[in-house]
Amino acid sequence: QPDEPRLRELLAARSERAGCEVAMEAFVRAPKHVLRFLQPGRLCLLEDASRGVSLGWGVLLGWRGTATSAYVGGASVPPERMRASELVLDVLLPCAAGAQALALAGDAPQPAPLHDPSAEAWVLPVRLSCLQQLSSVRLWLPDEVSSPESRRGVLHALRQVFAE
């Protein structure tokens, strides 16, 4: 027979640990703690938990506050006082072929595996809550990433980091 009190104790400890992990993630992702690490060129692993979709690794290009967080009562809100839901990351991600047509139609482009040769590089806005990991690796970025050639170059550099 299993030791039921011991099993209950173990279950309670696991539940408490899960709660602590959630609290720790919220603390670490708070804008006042994470902003100094959101540097252009840094690699980031993204996952859209609301849709259950892993977006994979991308290259952070920058961040911005949402329009509603920019002004409160006519005064500007310092970024470190914003809520995590008010921060949007601009990330270059590998997307499935035809991403531009989907974006123009108002749909979200589908992520593509990094090793997919037909993947297209696109800059997408992503909520801070989608950030799963932030790498210490930073890539050199061209002055502008609006041209397809420069985006392909950054995607190639990203693939080189993960090449075996």
Side-chain angles (χ1 to χ4, degrees):
Q1 290 251 357
D3 187 7
E4 286 190 32
R6 181 82 171 124
L7 289 175
R8 280 193 205 106
E9 184 180 312
L10 180 61
L11 183 60
R14 284 184 180 175
S15 177
E16 185 178 345
R17 178 182 174 186
C20 288
E21 287 175 353
V22 168
M24 183 182 68
E25 286 179 14
F27 180 81
V28 168
R29 286 195 189 121
K32 71 179 185 177
H33 300 296
V34 76
L35 281 178
R36 66 176 159 207
F37 299 105
L38 297 180
Q39 301 156 335
R42 194 174 292 275
L43 304 187
C44 51
L45 181 63
L46 303 165
E47 181 178 314
D48 188 352
S50 65
R51 295 187 309 159
V53 176
S54 173
L55 302 175
W57 286 96
V59 181
L60 180 67
L61 301 179
W63 60 270
R64 54 191 156 81
T66 60
T68 58
S69 68
Y71 296 98
V72 174
S76 179
V77 176
E80 60 274 1
R81 294 198 48 215
M82 291 181 185
R83 293 187 303 266
S85 61
E86 298 173 330
L87 285 176
V88 176
L89 310 177
D90 292 321
V91 182
L92 186 134
L93 286 166
C95 297
Q100 184 176 18
L102 281 172
L104 290 175
D107 293 329
Q110 296 299 314
L114 189 57
H115 56 80
D116 183 359
S118 66
E120 302 172 355
W122 289 97
V123 179
L124 301 176
V126 180
R127 294 183 316 274
L128 180 62
S129 61
C130 294
L131 181 66
Q132 294 300 306
Q133 291 182 26
L134 200 56
S135 172
S136 60
V137 175
R138 288 179 65 190
L139 297 180
W140 173 84
L141 294 175
D143 291 336
E144 56 83 26
V145 289
S146 58
S147 72
E149 297 81 26
S150 62
R151 289 195 309 265
R152 272 194 296 271
V154 174
L155 181 59
H156 177 71
L158 180 62
R159 286 179 175 144
Q160 292 297 93
V161 169
F162 292 101
E164 294 179 26

